[in-house]
Amino acid sequence: MAIYAKVTRIMTTDFAEISILDGIDGEAIDNTTYIAEFKGKELNVRRDDIVEVVPTDNRIMNESKIAYVLPVIGLILGFLFTGSKPMPERILSGVLLGIMMLIVAYVMNRRSRMLKYRKYKVKKIIKTSPHLL
């Protein structure tokens, strides 16, 4: 049995927010929205499209947690690069570089966070949106 959904929002190039429909022309079952993955280069999914989805397992990428080692490395490097400065400046530079690396690690892991919360995968577009944008 096919599961039909309406795209409520495009989150990134490969992920969209959907709400499950009662049928192809039906209303949304409830106000719950789910994250669905689609191939951005193959499917041109837009807001208000009616799509067919299949359930998938969530995937947690353990190797993506390696990126959170970057702040520790930044803290150490910031401390070491300012070796001739007084101790408060060395600590401050290490903390600032560590914070910057934390932001970089968070941005780098967006795809793995989306894969963690996805529930469905878009199989095909049933009806395209009447809107141009």
Side-chain angles (χ1 to χ4, degrees):
M1 182 177 149
I3 302 172
Y4 300 105
K6 182 176 184 177
V7 178
T8 57
R9 181 171 66 125
I10 302 296
M11 300 177 84
T12 63
T13 55
D14 290 334
F15 294 94
E17 191 175 84
I18 61 168
S19 61
I20 305 298
L21 299 177
D22 198 15
I24 291 179
D25 295 323
E27 292 293 318
I29 293 175
D30 56 6
N31 290 335
T32 307
T33 58
Y34 301 98
I35 294 177
E37 182 183 15
F38 63 93
K39 299 289 183 195
K41 294 181 181 179
E42 296 172 14
L43 295 173
N44 189 16
V45 176
R46 295 182 295 178
R47 189 171 64 75
D48 292 334
D49 282 353
I50 306 296
V51 294
E52 183 179 340
V53 294
V54 292
T56 60
D57 293 332
N58 295 342
R59 191 172 81 181
I60 298 173
M61 298 170 50
N62 291 328
E63 61 272 5
S64 66
K65 294 178 180 157
I66 293 173
Y68 289 106
V69 174
L70 286 176
V72 176
I73 293 171
L75 183 99
I76 293 169
L77 288 178
F79 188 78
L80 292 176
F81 285 158
T82 55
S84 62
K85 302 288 182 185
M87 189 57 77
E89 286 186 29
R90 294 177 72 184
I91 293 172
L92 179 65
S93 67
V95 168
L96 289 176
L97 193 57
I99 290 171
M100 288 173 36
M101 291 291 189
L102 180 67
I103 293 169
V104 167
Y106 183 78
V107 170
M108 282 174 38
N109 281 335
R110 172 147 176 117
R111 180 166 176 76
S112 64
R113 286 192 310 275
M114 289 292 187
L115 286 173
K116 181 179 175 183
Y117 295 114
R118 77 166 176 190
K119 296 280 185 190
Y120 296 98
K121 185 169 185 163
V122 175
K123 208 165 138 183
K124 63 181 175 179
I125 299 173
I126 303 297
K127 286 184 184 177
T128 58
S129 171
H131 306 296
L132 235 42
L133 298 176

